[in-house]
Amino acid sequence: MTATNLPASSGNGAGPAVSVSSDIPHLDVDPFSIEFFADPYPTHELLRETGPVVYLDKWNVYAVARHAEVHAVLNDPGTFCSSRGVGLSDFAKEKPWRPQSIILEADPPAHTRTRAVLNQVLSASVMRPLRERFAAAADAKVDELLARKSFDAIADLAEAFPMSVFPDAMGLKQEGRENLLPYAGLVFNAFGPPNQLRQDAIDRSAPHQSYVAAQCQRENLAPEGFGGCIHARADSGDITEAEAPLLVRSLLSAGIDTTVNGIGAAVYCLARFPAQLARLRQDPTLSRNAFEEAIRFESPVQTFFRTTTRDVEISGHRIGEGEKVLMFLGAANRDPRRWENADHYDINRKTSGHVGYGSGIHMCVGQLVARLEGEVMMAALARKVRTIEITGPVKRRYNNTLRGLESLPVTMVPA
Ligand code: OVV
C-alpha cells in the first residue's frame, strides 16, 4: 500500500476522461475488504498520514480520515450532499436498492421537515419515562447472565438487551422480530460497494424487506410507541400519510444494529481494559461516558459517503462536482491530531467532538435512545459485576459499514 501522486480522474466514469489539475495522492487500499475489517488501524493511519484528502482507485472515490476534514465535510451539507446517497452508489446515476430514505438520504429543505418530526419523537422528554423500563431490563439481563456465569456477550447481551427494549419501544408486535437484525445488516452492507457482502445481503433480503414494509404500516404499530407517534404526526399534518411509514422504516433500519454494536463495543472494551471496569465500578456515575468512549474507540458506524454538489476545495485540494467523498468516522475518532492517547480506552476522557454519531444536521437522531440503552447497561455492569474475562475465540462480524463482533465468549464474576 503505497501513496502515488497521479492526477485525479474525473471519477465514477462520468464526464470526460481528462484529468483535473490536482495533487491529491492516490491509495490502492480497499476499505471494504475482509483483510481491512480484520485490522483497519494501520490503514486508518496510512489514510490520515497520506494527506488531508486522498483518492481511492479501487472505488473511484475521494476519502477523508482526519478529524478536521471529516468534521468539515459533515458540517457543509450544501456542498457535501446526502440526497445522492450516503453509500458508494450515486443516486443521480443508479437506482437505489430500496426507496430512498426521506431523512438520511435527503438535503434541506426536505430534510429539515422530516428531521424535526423524528427529533420530537425521540426527544429528551420522550426518554424520561423510558429510563425506568430500560434500566430494569438491563438489571434483569445482567442478573440472568451472572447466574449463567459463562455466555456469549454478543448474542446473549449486546443483541439480547436492545432486542428486549427497542422493539417494544417502537410498538412492534412480537411476531417476526427475528427479521430486524438481518434487515439492518442488509441496510448497512448496502452502503458499501458492490462486493460479496453487499450482494449476498441483497440476495437474501426479500423476507426481511417484506417484514419491515409491513411493520411500517400504522395498523401494525402500537399507538404509544415511536412508530405510532410518527403516524400521529400525519394526523397533525406535519408529514403526509405516505411519509410516515418511510420514517418508521428509518428507525427500523438504524435503531437496532447500531446499539447492538455500540453495546457490544462497550462490553468488549470493559473485558479488554479491566482497570477501566474497576474505575467504573468505583464510580458508576461514569456509566454514560464509559459508553460514549466505547463509541469513540470502536466507532460502530465506521463510514458514510457524501456527494459533492459543486467544485470545492478541501484543505487546499480541489474536488470536482458529482464526486463521492468517503468519510472515515472511525479514523477521525482516533486521529492523534485531535485525541491524546487516541488508541486508549479511557472512561474519564472528554469525549465531546467524537464523530461516532456523525455531526451537524444529520447527527444521529436516535442518539438519546442509544445513550439511554448504553448508559443503563454500563450502570448495571458497574453495580453488579466484578470482572469480565474473555474465555474463548473472539470472532469478528463483517459488514461494509458496521464494526463489531460475531462472538465474544466471556465469564462474568459477580461483585
Ligand atoms: C442512520 C441511518 C442508517 C440506516 C438507515 C437510515 C438511517 C434510514 O433513514 O433509513
Side-chain angles (χ1 to χ4, degrees):
M1 291 185 295
T2 51
T4 56
N5 234 314
L6 306 170
S9 84
S10 57
N12 276 352
V18 295
S19 58
V20 293
S21 168
S22 171
D23 55 354
I24 294 176
H26 287 223
L27 288 174
D28 71 357
V29 303
D30 180 4
F32 301 99
S33 65
I34 301 300
E35 308 78 71
F36 172 83
F37 296 143
D39 182 14
Y41 300 111
T43 307
H44 280 169
E45 184 176 1
L46 176 67
L47 287 160
R48 286 189 305 255
E49 297 311 314
T50 297
V53 193
V54 302
Y55 192 82
L56 303 182
D57 291 317
K58 173 81 187 178
W59 301 113
N60 285 327
V61 296
Y62 292 88
V64 289
R66 297 180 187 173
H67 184 276
E69 282 73 22
V70 168
H71 189 270
V73 170
L74 285 168
N75 285 281
D76 186 359
T79 305
F80 301 98
C81 80
S82 291
S83 57
R84 290 169 72 166
V86 298
L88 176 65
S89 175
D90 182 352
F91 295 170
K93 300 172 184 168
E94 289 184 294
K95 183 174 145 54
W97 69 276
R98 61 171 191 170
Q100 204 164 333
S101 167
I102 61 171
I103 179 162
L104 178 75
E105 295 157 341
D107 296 321
H111 167 268
T112 313
R113 194 171 49 82
T114 52
R115 173 77 191 205
V117 168
L118 287 193
N119 273 343
Q120 287 170 353
V121 169
L122 303 172
S123 67
S125 61
V126 174
M127 295 310 115
R128 231 161 278 132
L130 288 181
R131 172 173 285 267
E132 238 186 308
R133 278 203 278 135
F134 280 35
D139 285 1
K141 180 54 66 184
V142 172
D143 287 341
E144 172 207 321
L145 294 173
L146 279 167
R148 282 176 60 180
K149 296 188 175 72
S150 295
F151 58 92
D152 190 329
I154 302 305
D156 304 329
L157 193 164
E159 293 179 358
F161 172 59
M163 284 297 291
S164 77
V165 293
F166 182 77
D168 288 340
M170 275 301 297
L172 296 172
K173 59 184 187 184
Q174 289 293 334
E175 186 197 342
R177 290 181 179 190
E178 68 280 1
N179 286 286
L180 288 168
L181 285 172
Y183 182 77
L186 156 73
V187 169
F188 284 95
N189 268 322
F191 293 127
N195 57 14
Q196 195 81 55
L197 278 170
R198 185 179 196 271
Q199 200 51 55
D200 287 350
I202 291 176
D203 289 344
R204 290 187 258 97
S205 70
H208 315 314
Q209 290 207 65
S210 62
Y211 164 77
V212 164
Q215 306 324 304
C216 290
Q217 297 305 310
R218 194 170 199 169
E219 61 268 26
N220 287 321
L221 291 160
E224 67 279 8
F226 300 147
C229 291
I230 291 170
H231 280 282
R233 301 298 296 263
D235 299 340
S236 52
D238 301 310
I239 49 174
T240 67
E241 280 185 29
E243 287 172 326
L246 279 169
L247 286 181
V248 176
R249 193 193 68 173
S250 287
L251 300 196
L252 297 182
S253 300
I256 185 89
D257 214 357
T258 49
T259 60
V260 164
N261 284 291
I263 291 166
V267 175
Y268 191 30
C269 284
L270 295 179
R272 283 174 296 171
F273 301 93
Q276 298 298 312
L277 173 55
R279 233 191 241 175
L280 178 62
R281 294 182 58 219
Q282 271 179 10
D283 184 2
T285 69
L286 292 171
S287 293
R288 203 167 171 90
N289 204 57
F291 181 69
E292 205 67 19
E293 170 68 347
I295 299 304
R296 181 199 69 84
F297 187 78
E298 286 292 335
S299 300
V301 176
Q302 284 275 296
T303 50
F304 271 124
F305 292 82
R306 294 292 187 259
T307 312
T308 56
T309 59
R310 60 177 177 86
D311 292 2
V312 60
E313 270 188 18
I314 300 180
S315 304
H317 299 275
R318 195 193 147 275
I319 298 180
E321 183 277 336
E323 300 286 351
K324 283 283 173 175
V325 179
L326 174 55
M327 304 178 292
F328 284 92
L329 307 178
N333 279 343
R334 289 174 176 236
D335 182 355
R337 293 161 190 77
R338 174 63 181 76
W339 308 99
E340 232 173 86
N341 295 323
D343 296 327
H344 293 210
Y345 175 71
D346 173 4
I347 69 171
N348 292 110
R349 178 193 298 276
K350 283 186 188 162
T351 56
S352 66
H354 82 75
V355 292
Y357 290 104
S359 178
I361 66 167
H362 288 280
M363 188 176 176
C364 180
V365 75
Q367 59 186 277
L368 297 184
V369 187
R371 291 200 183 105
L372 177 57
E373 288 181 29
E375 179 189 347
V376 297
M377 177 52 71
M378 295 304 257
L381 295 170
R383 284 182 282 100
K384 293 171 183 285
V385 174
R386 183 181 305 276
T387 58
I388 305 173
E389 193 200 344
I390 300 174
T391 51
V394 177
K395 293 199 191 100
R396 185 153 295 283
R397 182 173 285 170
Y398 296 106
N399 182 284
N400 280 328
T401 304
L402 295 172
R403 177 170 179 77
L405 299 179
E406 176 70 27
S407 179
L408 178 61
V410 297
T411 299
M412 280 199 321
V413 175

